[in-house]
Amino acid sequence: MDLVQLQRQLVDYRTSLYHEGFLDEQFTQLQSLQDENNPDFVVEVVSLFFEDSERLLNELSKALEQQVIDFKRMDAQVHQLKGSSSSIGAHRVQKLCIVFRNYCEAQNVEGCLKCLQQVKHEYGIIKTKLESMFQLEQQILNAGGSIPV
Amino acid sequence: MELMKSENIVQDRQPQPQEEEEIMQQEEEEEQRFHVLAVDDSVIDRKLLEKLLKASSYQVTCVESGEKALEYLGLLHHSSPASSSSSQHHHQGHKVNLIMTDFSMPGTSGYDLLKRIKGSSWKDVPVVVMSSENVPSRISMCLEGGAEEFMLKPLQLSDLHKIQAHLLKSLPHS
């Protein structure tokens, strides 16, 4: 595939992520902060998000396996996940966290279990999509082109 | 201890006279820039905030907790620090022009930090409290507690003009 085709593919892919509600305006903000002094800024922040989210999702899974469930601690963890997903513009994950917190507050185990599965699912999707997008960007750079805004 | 400084001059050897001059110039330039102490337990939000502030040419120090912030300000083990008048707004030779803190943090919360700062020799340094939640009672509590501004997360570049206003206000009057 030639450079122009790659660039077009990236723009279409990115646009679809916004249209389908995977990303919101905050992701655009992140991109606007990236410059020549910090060319990997977005990748760095998103990588931090991946690490942080996986840690939190593991802890939430463990929390729900306990004999006595610590809903307060779980709520704090979901709050963290909600915050970080909001900060990078991971729209669907953020929205699910709001629902998840309601179940924590209501101390509803079934609700929490269901939510956790949904959050894990949505997180998996956005992770795959962002990684695909970064790969496309790298292909463009390798071909000597620049990333279209 | 996680303490990120945007600028850090490390000298392991004796600097040559020319280098000394360059270093002094650099330090002078740093002193002229506003220095913001940013407090947030989220590693992602710290990185974002640091970038936002540096993009506006501020010098930034990020800490991960209220306790670390108090430690940085020399307030950790004293109710009123025995600081000399010349070091009132200085830490390790660096001034602090603005403190930005997240509200919800484990341990010492942003509100706790705000109250400690306002009850100390740092009370004239403007404090901005940030939160991802838009809770009116929380906002008024912080403003009544002495916060200059309450800002909703995630912060954007366009929010920084509010910060600039507070920083300019804090300049000494001639």
Side-chain angles (χ1 to χ4, degrees):
Chain A
M1 206 181 294
D2 72 1
L3 182 58
V4 176
Q5 281 180 299
L6 279 173
Q7 287 169 324
R8 158 135 260 139
Q9 197 185 1
L10 175 67
V11 172
D12 289 345
Y13 194 67
R14 218 192 267 155
T15 307
S16 74
L17 291 180
Y18 285 98
H19 278 178
E20 291 163 32
F22 288 105
L23 293 177
D24 64 33
E25 204 241 354
Q26 181 58 22
F27 191 79
T28 316
Q29 279 284 315
L30 274 193
Q31 290 180 307
S32 71
L33 285 172
Q34 183 162 292
D35 55 27
E36 318 82 54
N37 295 325
N38 237 158
D40 299 318
F41 178 69
V42 179
V43 173
E44 284 169 8
V45 179
V46 172
S47 302
L48 281 174
F49 169 71
F50 290 159
E51 275 174 41
D52 206 48
S53 302
E54 279 157 39
R55 174 186 63 88
L56 287 166
L57 289 171
N58 280 335
E59 290 188 22
L60 286 165
S61 299
K62 282 197 215 132
L64 283 166
E65 286 164 14
Q66 302 306 307
Q67 290 278 21
V68 182
I69 296 177
D70 189 344
F71 286 103
K72 197 161 171 233
R73 187 150 181 265
M74 269 179 54
D75 181 71
Q77 287 164 337
V78 178
H79 172 79
Q80 276 185 56
L81 184 58
K82 176 173 150 278
S84 56
S85 55
S86 161
S87 292
I88 71 142
H91 189 77
R92 290 199 190 184
V93 176
Q94 184 203 348
K95 290 296 175 221
L96 279 172
C97 286
I98 296 172
V99 180
F100 200 156
R101 284 194 80 191
N102 289 337
Y103 283 122
C104 289
E105 215 179 325
Q107 307 209 350
N108 182 332
V109 182
E110 284 311 305
C112 284
L113 280 166
K114 205 179 82 169
C115 257
L116 178 59
Q117 285 320 302
Q118 287 176 321
V119 175
K120 279 181 171 174
H121 179 71
E122 279 301 333
Y123 167 74
I125 295 175
I126 191 66
K127 181 172 183 192
T128 305
K129 288 190 180 283
L130 285 171
E131 284 174 339
S132 301
M133 198 186 79
F134 292 146
Q135 266 168 35
L136 253 179
E137 287 182 355
Q138 195 54 55
Q139 275 180 282
I140 291 169
L141 291 173
N142 292 343
S146 60
I147 315 285
V149 288
Chain B
M1 173 168 87
E2 210 202 289
L3 191 70
M4 283 153 53
K5 282 197 79 173
S6 60
E7 250 71 43
N8 212 333
I9 303 164
V10 180
Q11 301 165 48
D12 290 327
R13 55 178 176 83
Q14 277 288 66
Q16 303 308 301
Q18 208 179 11
E19 285 177 356
E20 264 191 45
E21 212 181 280
E22 277 176 27
I23 289 162
M24 272 169 59
Q25 243 183 3
Q26 225 178 328
E27 284 177 344
E28 262 179 51
E29 277 169 21
E30 271 182 33
E31 279 297 301
Q32 284 164 20
R33 283 193 283 159
F34 288 129
H35 179 221
V36 182
L37 177 65
V39 191
D40 201 313
D41 61 316
S42 159
V43 60
I44 291 134
D45 288 346
R46 281 199 302 280
K47 189 164 173 84
L48 261 179
L49 196 50
E50 187 194 35
K51 192 70 175 73
L52 273 173
L53 291 167
K54 279 165 88 169
S56 307
S57 302
Y58 301 133
Q59 205 190 346
V60 193
T61 299
C62 290
V63 296
E64 63 181 354
S65 69
E67 286 82 16
K68 291 268 157 74
L70 289 171
E71 194 180 3
Y72 186 86
L73 297 168
L75 297 175
L76 199 51
H77 298 297
H78 318 283
S79 46
S80 52
S83 52
S84 66
S85 51
S86 63
S87 66
Q88 195 177 25
H89 289 167
H90 282 66
H91 167 78
Q92 291 175 9
H94 284 96
K95 63 196 180 305
V96 176
N97 298 106
L98 177 76
I99 297 164
M100 294 183 70
T101 179
D102 187 29
F103 181 86
S104 316
M105 296 188 294
T108 305
S109 73
Y111 182 74
D112 297 332
L113 180 60
L114 168 68
K115 296 298 282 179
R116 286 297 309 277
I117 289 167
K118 292 301 173 185
S120 75
S121 62
W122 296 95
K123 62 176 159 32
D124 294 327
V125 178
V127 179
V128 171
V129 179
M130 305 172 286
S131 175
S132 56
E133 294 169 309
N134 193 348
V135 181
S137 56
R138 178 182 295 184
I139 298 173
S140 29
M141 185 175 81
C142 288
L143 294 176
E144 277 160 36
E148 261 70 20
E149 184 88 50
F150 187 97
M151 294 173 75
L152 280 178
K153 288 164 97 175
L155 262 66
Q156 302 186 342
L157 262 173
S158 56
D159 293 322
L160 289 217
H161 73 274
K162 296 182 204 165
I163 293 167
Q164 174 133 44
H166 293 298
L167 284 168
L168 290 171
K169 260 198 300 180
S170 73
L171 286 173
H173 303 289
S174 49

